[in-house]
Amino acid sequence: MIDVGAAAARGKQVSSRVSQAGAGWDCQEIGSFQALRPDQDSFSWLNPATLWRSRNEVLAQLFGDPSPRVRRRWVASQRERGVDEDFRVRLDLGEEFTFLLLGDTGEGDASQYSVVPGLLKLGQGTAFAVIASDVIYPTGAGDEYRDKFFRPYKDYPAPIFAVPGNHDWYDGLGGFMRVFCDARPLSAESRGFRLSPGGLRGLLWKKPEAIDEAALAEARKMRPDPGPALPGPYWVLDTGRLLLVGIDTGIKGALDREQGEWLRRVSADPRPKILITGKPIYVNNDYHPCPIEGGGTVDDVVRDPANNYVAAIGGDVHNYQRYPVRVDGRLIQYVVSGGGGAFMHATHTIPRVDVAGVHEDDFKCYPLRGDSLSFYSLLYSRRLRMRGLYITPEEGLALMSRRIGNTPPRPTPGAPTGARVRWAARLLGGWPMPFRLPVGRVFHRYISELSDWDTPPFFKSFLHLSVTGDTLRLRCFAATGCLPQEEEPPLEDEVEIPL
């Protein structure tokens, strides 16, 4: 539990669970992150060119996903280079160490850079960092790593590892494999047009972009000691005390047969493990076990007591969520950590949590549902010039607590939840619509993805994990973009996991 009094006594920032100021609503001074940003236009999903470059997602859903075939080619190429048979990276860290984890980072705009100062402050002395999903938006192109990876993390002195997300696959994984695995491009496949779904997909498919090697070499100088290269798009970080197992879920969130066999093999090691995945297993009160070609799921592997997984952490969804799930008497922490830089996905559309027997009171998310509702109401009241759409943070927390049936995470004295507030919440997916219209699902899937902004609060987050003795301590810290929270990042969630 977070000790508010002790935090205040130490001069630490209290979190959004304690005060409106802790959420960044009372921002008087923007943080120093602005000085770190490159001098360029902000990233926007409203740009038709951005959407067109990202077309492989739609094509994969309509006509089939070629990423498993391409992944097998990358893996075969790496094996020919003589990498470790189990795609293992050994790190000599001793019995106690700390590391960072963040997901969905690389938009290269204010929301990404707002995370950097707090990350550098709390990252002092950490052994490494891991990016879980979508290192580079919109398509993972190698030439975009300069301002979306090397520049923002140039002052982080330890190695940074990563698992690819669906956006990294829109470039055929070329940028990811070149930067993190030091791999050379695959030879082009000769595939003529066929009158079939696969043939149509090939005709429209975005091809990998050639990398400017000279520019990439110059960008690499920003991080002179990158650490060991990863052996492939999936891997094991062997710290001695703890194994981190990173998997590649491609575009559609599944594993090919070869990767599935590898996962089962490396998971048989009896030491405690954390799974790191491009797509989370539990998210938005829903279950996505991640199928493996040929049968079974990734979660079958995680749940097997012989494999000793203590946590599974995934990106893809741009917020923080934690589900403590009981499996045969054990407690496994399933975490969403996708708040590392990209636009915020709404949390106010998450219903009262009951998936896998998790009680609402044990579920944690950031931003709080009420803050999420209030922020999107502010955003769209301005864009649509509808003052009546705005819901204050107090109203948002009070209304969402009434909707979910829990105690407001922070005090909301006298906050009204009348007809106007409820109808505004209905339009934004935070309150039930008459006749069960699917407004909430539409809002979360489409509207929020078109809602980038460059001013605080950003509601970003990252994880700090420490191994001490027989305990893994997982903490989620916030980044609002405001100077006070930049100097002392608020602690939004904390859990101790026995090893």
Side-chain angles (χ1 to χ4, degrees):
M1 297 293 292
I2 300 170
D3 187 334
V4 178
R10 294 193 304 269
K12 303 291 185 182
Q13 281 296 318
V14 293
S15 74
S16 67
R17 299 179 179 277
V18 177
S19 75
Q20 185 169 299
W25 286 114
D26 304 330
C27 192
Q28 301 295 317
E29 188 175 359
I30 295 178
S32 63
F33 71 90
Q34 292 282 33
L36 306 175
R37 292 181 59 195
D39 185 16
Q40 62 181 29
D41 294 336
S42 292
F43 181 88
S44 175
W45 288 101
L46 291 173
N47 187 332
T50 299
L51 297 177
W52 175 243
R53 289 181 65 198
S54 305
R55 64 189 180 273
N56 288 1
E57 171 79 26
V58 177
L59 295 173
Q61 301 297 334
L62 292 175
F63 304 123
D65 180 9
S67 59
R69 185 188 74 249
V70 179
R71 183 190 298 115
R72 288 191 291 270
R73 295 186 66 210
W74 279 119
V75 167
S77 175
Q78 290 297 93
R79 292 197 187 283
E80 289 175 1
R81 296 178 59 194
V83 300
D84 183 270
E85 182 67 22
D86 283 335
F87 279 24
R88 189 180 304 268
V89 178
R90 289 177 170 82
L91 303 174
D92 185 13
L93 302 179
E95 288 295 305
E96 298 187 354
F97 60 92
T98 58
F99 63 98
L100 300 176
L101 190 146
L102 63 165
D104 302 82
T105 54
E107 287 190 346
D109 56 4
S111 59
Q112 178 179 8
Y113 279 82
S114 68
V115 179
V116 174
L119 182 146
L120 293 177
K121 182 180 182 68
L122 294 177
Q124 294 177 19
T126 53
F128 60 89
V130 179
I131 297 176
S133 184
D134 293 340
V135 183
I136 302 294
Y137 291 97
T139 65
D143 285 351
E144 296 192 41
Y145 271 80
R146 180 180 185 274
D147 288 335
K148 298 179 180 181
F149 176 74
F150 291 108
R151 181 192 292 270
Y153 312 121
K154 64 184 178 65
D155 294 323
Y156 179 69
I160 299 178
F161 305 106
V163 294
N166 55 315
H167 285 268
D168 299 305
W169 266 103
Y170 299 166
D171 191 56
L173 213 62
F176 181 97
M177 293 297 295
R178 185 73 189 92
V179 170
F180 289 104
C181 306
D182 199 26
R184 293 295 171 178
L186 295 174
S187 58
E189 289 186 285
S190 177
R191 305 178 69 88
F193 174 71
R194 294 169 292 140
L195 191 59
S196 67
L200 183 59
R201 181 193 66 207
L203 187 66
L204 298 174
W205 196 260
K206 178 191 174 297
K207 304 301 187 292
E209 299 178 21
I211 298 175
D212 185 334
E213 288 291 342
L216 179 60
E218 193 65 26
R220 284 185 186 274
K221 294 178 182 178
M222 295 184 186
R223 286 184 48 79
D225 185 17
L230 289 174
Y234 49 87
W235 40 258
V236 179
L237 295 184
D238 187 339
T239 71
R241 184 72 183 85
L242 176 74
L243 300 184
L244 276 67
V245 180
I247 61 173
D248 171 19
T249 52
I251 294 177
K252 294 179 67 175
L255 268 60
D256 61 89
R257 188 186 305 271
E258 181 180 3
Q259 185 180 181
E261 292 172 352
W262 165 88
L263 175 63
R264 293 184 176 105
R265 184 173 69 252
V266 300
S267 296
D269 187 312
R271 287 177 288 177
K273 301 174 194 69
I274 298 175
L275 180 78
I276 301 176
T277 168
K279 291 186 181 293
I281 292 175
Y282 286 95
V283 61
N284 300 336
N285 199 40
D286 206 356
Y287 179 48
H288 303 275
C290 187
I292 299 174
E293 182 185 12
T297 69
V298 168
D299 199 37
D300 291 339
V301 178
V302 172
R303 286 169 171 260
D304 188 336
N307 294 335
N308 201 9
Y309 277 91
V310 298
I313 305 175
D316 188 54
V317 174
H318 306 166
N319 52 46
Y320 172 79
Q321 301 174 42
R322 180 168 64 84
Y323 300 81
V325 177
R326 289 211 167 271
V327 180
D328 298 327
R330 300 176 301 124
L331 196 63
I332 301 176
Q333 300 290 341
Y334 290 86
V335 177
V336 179
S337 182
F343 68 90
M344 180 189 82
H345 273 129
T347 59
H348 64 266
T349 55
I350 302 173
R352 180 179 174 85
V353 166
D354 57 9
V355 67
V358 177
H359 192 278
E360 169 65 32
D361 292 344
D362 297 323
F363 166 74
K364 296 293 184 290
C365 70
Y366 177 79
L368 300 176
R369 292 180 177 101
D371 285 331
S372 170
L373 176 61
S374 179
F375 186 86
Y376 276 107
S377 77
L378 175 63
L379 189 70
Y380 282 97
S381 67
R382 290 173 174 173
R383 289 188 176 178
L384 301 177
R385 299 182 181 180
M386 296 173 59
R387 294 176 59 185
L389 195 60
Y390 176 57
I391 299 170
T392 68
E394 293 90 345
E395 291 169 342
L397 257 70
L399 187 70
M400 291 310 301
S401 289
R402 179 178 169 189
R403 166 80 175 112
I404 299 300
N406 60 8
T407 302
R410 65 174 184 257
T412 59
T417 57
R420 181 199 65 81
V421 176
R422 291 196 301 273
W423 270 106
R426 284 188 175 103
L427 295 174
L428 295 168
W431 195 261
M433 268 283 188
F435 312 113
R436 297 186 178 181
L437 295 174
V439 174
R441 292 193 296 275
V442 172
F443 178 91
H444 182 79
R445 180 62 183 87
Y446 299 106
I447 299 178
S448 64
E449 295 195 5
L450 303 179
S451 302
D452 287 328
W453 58 89
D454 284 331
T455 56
F458 290 111
F459 299 109
K460 299 291 94 189
S461 59
F462 62 93
L463 304 185
H464 182 283
L465 299 100
S466 58
V467 174
T468 306
D470 290 329
T471 301
L472 170 68
R473 186 185 185 199
L474 182 153
R475 295 185 292 169
C476 174
F477 288 94
T480 67
C482 304
L483 187 62
Q485 287 85 35
E486 187 177 273
E487 294 176 340
E488 295 289 348
L491 177 60
E492 289 291 336
D493 188 30
E494 180 177 14
V495 63
E496 290 190 350
I497 305 170
L499 295 179

